[in-house]
Amino acid sequence: MDPPATYRCRNCQTPIAYRDELLSKSYMAKTGQAFLFSDARNIVFGQKQETNLITGVYTIASIFCSNCGEELGWKYLQASEARQKFKEGKFILELSKISKHF
């Protein structure tokens, strides 16, 4: 059986998310395009912060690779608008910080 397709930290190749956890490719982040994932692993969280993004105000926590410390994106902790609540608990990974392994 083939190993599952993964997205990995571009810096150190630590697995961060599986292909089947990818929810959307239509997000933007600090460095450009970003992907929305339902789960992520091998990460550590930064401090909780409130931020104003294009679609509203959110409470987020930055996420970092647990192996090399590279900042990879963030986790949505809370959305202020009801129509954005589906993002809560989900992860944004910046495309410039991850690589695909299939």
Side-chain angles (χ1 to χ4, degrees):
M1 183 171 155
D2 291 333
T6 59
Y7 288 88
R8 297 173 182 233
C9 173
R10 188 178 295 275
N11 190 50
C12 71
Q13 301 307 307
T14 297
I16 303 297
Y18 293 117
R19 169 64 183 91
D20 61 3
E21 296 166 335
L22 177 61
L23 300 173
S24 176
K25 293 182 176 182
S26 60
Y27 283 79
M28 294 298 290
K30 291 183 262 186
T31 61
Q33 187 178 5
F35 293 171
L36 181 70
F37 287 86
S38 60
D39 201 4
R41 63 212 27 81
N42 299 316
I43 57 170
V44 293
F45 294 96
Q47 289 189 340
K48 191 167 57 167
Q49 59 186 345
E50 191 170 283
T51 189
N52 192 1
L53 301 174
I54 294 169
T55 56
V57 177
Y58 299 88
T59 302
I60 64 168
S62 293
I63 57 174
F64 302 85
C65 175
S66 63
N67 185 53
C68 72
E70 179 77 18
E71 186 173 2
L72 302 171
W74 65 83
K75 180 177 183 178
Y76 286 106
L77 302 174
Q78 188 173 19
S80 60
E81 296 184 33
R83 68 178 183 262
Q84 300 298 327
K85 293 283 187 188
F86 73 95
K87 295 177 184 173
E88 292 180 349
K90 309 281 189 321
F91 297 83
I92 288 289
L93 295 176
E94 298 189 41
L95 191 56
S96 67
K97 305 297 182 101
I98 57 174
S99 60
K100 296 181 259 186
H101 291 263
F102 295 94

